[in-house]
Amino acid sequence: MGATKIMMKICCSILCLVLTLLLAGCWDRNEINDYAFWIGTALDLTESGKLQKSAQIAVPANIKSTKGGGGNERRANIVLTATGSSSLVDLTQQIQDKLPRRVFLGHRRSIFIGEKLARKGLTDIMDQFTRNTDTRLRTDIFVVNNGKGKDVLNINSPFNQFSAIVAVDQDRYCRLGDTALRDVLLDVGRDGIRPSMPMIEISPINDQEKHKIFDVRSVAIFNKQLQMVGEVSGRESLELFWVKGVLKSQFVTEETEQGSISLYESNLKKSIRTEFEGNKLKAHVKLEGTGRVLENNTDIDLSVSAERIRLERKLNEIKAKKVEATIKELQLQFGQDVFGFGEEVHREHPYYWKEIRNKWDQIFPILEVSVDVKLKIQSIGDIGKRIPGIGERK
């Protein structure tokens, strides 16, 4: 009995030793030092009409520590470019030929498309993205307003060593929410919505901003053939993304008869309902959210419920009219349903949608749309509150 236990222990020890040998080491030699990490991609159209692809590649030896200061001032990345072929695969291989390491796309954060290429059309490019198994669908995608994507990769931002990452953070936290390659591909594959992408603009106001700063403040609008047909900027771009369901928060200042009031609007939501009145199709948009007062330049005492409710109603009416005007402007100017009204028709009236899906680009411009805004002011602080004895009505 004792001998049996000893033999079992010996067998277990041998098995553990064999398993340890199998687990140790890197058998395929795919170590981190063998890879060149591809952080950002730029796609442009040259003056001669050829496709140009640029890559922002990390240079590990030049990456500064977040804790340390001083030291090496060289860039933490290099930008490599290939031109000539209409095949993204061929251009990628040309870039690979310039590197002593194997390119790795798993860490790519953003794609920048020059406006000239965007207006020509992106169907072939998007098709190749879907076929490449290395493509990361969470990669953010932008159009460069009046410029080239390569110019964005060459920006040496003071906020991050990779401009491709700066663009992602700036879009997500400062302005227009978050649009990834996945979102664009989903829109491309549906008949009831047309794609849209945030736009980057390189327009330094002074020498200090040159080659360091860019803006994300516009939205590019595409047709069904994935050709850019126009853009909207400023307030209209925010309202577009709110109706589309992308925008989650924003800072806004509204003018009233009593003065201006500034709010931080969060928890933004949208719902769309479509219906028939006779033979006429109509769409009703409901926008909701909560507001926090940041500045009150009116004489309204927001601590009084009746006055606060009256202000809410007024602000909601103002916003509803502005959003309706934005929708109407996009209907008449571009005729492309970037909001997704067609998808709601498809969901609510599937049999009718089968009849009109191929005519949606002709129906959308004449679609009657109404907007209802329900923004509730939940936080007022002491801003605008009258102090007893100073002009307060008894």
Side-chain angles (χ1 to χ4, degrees):
M1 195 68 179
T4 303
K5 290 183 177 180
I6 293 174
M7 288 299 297
M8 290 179 63
K9 290 181 179 180
I10 293 175
C11 290
C12 289
S13 300
I14 294 174
L15 180 61
C16 291
L17 180 61
V18 171
L19 291 175
T20 303
L21 291 174
L22 290 174
L23 293 173
C26 188
W27 294 94
D28 60 0
R29 288 281 299 156
N30 288 331
E31 299 185 19
I32 190 170
N33 291 335
D34 295 330
Y35 289 106
F37 293 100
W38 192 312
I39 309 300
T41 294
L43 297 170
D44 296 298
L45 200 65
T46 64
E47 295 299 328
S48 60
K50 294 183 178 180
L51 183 63
Q52 183 181 78
K53 186 173 187 178
S54 304
Q56 188 177 73
I57 306 293
V59 181
N62 294 342
I63 296 178
K64 303 174 186 177
S65 169
T66 56
K67 296 180 181 179
N72 199 335
E73 293 300 327
R74 291 180 296 175
R75 284 178 63 111
N77 64 81
I78 58 173
V79 177
L80 302 178
T81 301
T83 307
S85 174
S86 60
S87 168
L88 291 181
V89 175
D90 183 58
L91 294 178
T92 301
Q93 185 58 48
Q94 289 184 41
I95 292 174
Q96 173 67 84
D97 294 343
K98 300 178 183 181
L99 292 166
R101 299 182 179 187
R102 179 183 175 185
V103 296
F104 180 70
L105 289 168
H107 290 296
R108 181 168 60 182
R109 299 296 302 277
S110 51
I111 299 169
F112 305 99
I113 299 173
E115 183 174 339
K116 187 176 180 181
L117 177 60
R119 289 190 178 276
K120 180 184 178 183
L122 305 177
T123 300
D124 294 338
I125 290 172
M126 290 298 172
D127 181 65
Q128 293 184 51
F129 277 141
T130 60
R131 297 175 189 273
N132 189 345
T133 56
D134 293 332
T135 299
R136 181 173 173 265
L137 295 181
R138 284 298 305 157
T139 303
D140 284 49
I141 188 167
F142 304 87
V143 173
V144 181
N145 192 9
N146 294 320
K148 295 184 177 181
K150 182 182 177 181
D151 296 336
V152 180
L153 296 184
N154 283 317
I155 286 180
N156 189 18
S157 172
F159 301 104
N160 191 291
Q161 298 173 81
F162 302 97
S163 57
I165 297 177
V166 173
V168 175
D169 294 338
Q170 191 163 333
D171 181 38
R172 187 166 298 160
Y173 300 121
C174 299
R175 196 74 181 168
L176 295 173
D178 182 12
T179 299
L181 179 61
R182 176 199 62 188
D183 304 316
V184 176
L185 292 175
L186 286 173
D187 290 348
V188 170
R190 297 183 289 182
D191 292 321
I193 190 171
R194 301 293 174 256
S196 60
M197 301 180 198
M199 297 189 76
I200 278 183
E201 184 173 342
I202 305 173
S203 54
I205 297 177
N206 50 54
D207 291 339
Q208 187 176 1
E209 294 183 359
K210 194 173 183 180
H211 305 307
K212 294 180 181 294
I213 301 295
F214 50 79
D215 294 329
V216 183
R217 58 183 178 185
S218 304
V219 176
I221 296 173
F222 290 79
N223 60 19
K224 192 174 183 179
Q225 290 73 40
L226 260 182
Q227 297 170 316
M228 179 180 166
V229 296
E231 64 176 280
V232 291
S233 59
R235 174 181 59 80
E236 289 84 1
S237 64
L238 296 172
E239 291 168 354
L240 186 163
F241 272 3
W242 191 357
V243 176
K244 188 177 179 180
V246 176
L247 190 69
K248 302 304 177 184
S249 62
Q250 66 174 335
F251 293 92
V252 64
T253 298
E254 297 288 2
E255 295 290 338
T256 68
E257 296 175 355
Q258 294 94 340
S260 65
I261 185 165
S262 298
L263 303 169
Y264 171 67
E265 300 175 350
S266 58
N267 303 316
L268 300 181
K269 301 176 183 178
K270 66 94 180 182
S271 60
I272 299 175
R273 180 175 55 86
T274 59
E275 66 175 1
F276 287 95
E277 287 190 6
N279 294 324
K280 193 170 185 180
L281 179 65
K282 293 187 176 183
H284 305 279
V285 180
K286 185 176 182 181
L287 303 177
E288 298 179 275
T290 57
R292 176 163 58 91
V293 179
L294 300 178
E295 185 175 354
N296 182 11
N297 293 319
T298 72
D299 60 354
I300 300 173
D301 188 352
L302 297 178
S303 63
V304 178
S305 298
E307 294 197 22
R308 185 179 70 253
I309 293 172
R310 191 179 300 113
L311 177 64
E312 279 181 3
R313 189 180 299 115
K314 183 63 176 179
L315 293 177
N316 289 337
E317 290 174 358
I318 293 173
K319 176 59 70 174
K321 289 181 180 179
K322 288 183 177 180
V323 176
E324 285 181 357
T326 296
I327 295 173
K328 192 65 178 179
E329 180 182 349
L330 267 63
Q331 285 178 294
L332 298 177
Q333 188 172 359
F334 305 118
Q336 304 300 319
D337 182 8
V338 290
F339 305 99
F341 292 118
E343 285 302 299
E344 296 301 327
V345 177
H346 184 189
R347 186 177 296 110
E348 297 176 350
H349 313 283
Y351 296 106
Y352 176 71
W353 177 250
K354 290 181 181 179
E355 299 176 8
I356 67 168
R357 60 186 300 178
N358 296 324
K359 307 174 186 176
W360 187 241
D361 285 342
Q362 290 75 46
I363 296 175
F364 170 71
I366 59 175
L367 177 69
E368 186 175 325
V369 182
S370 63
V371 178
D372 183 27
V373 178
K374 297 292 183 185
L375 187 73
K376 186 173 181 59
I377 299 176
Q378 291 188 337
S379 177
I380 61 172
D382 290 329
I383 299 176
K385 185 176 180 179
R386 297 188 183 94
I387 302 175
I390 305 182
E392 183 180 25
R393 290 174 294 181
K394 301 295 185 180

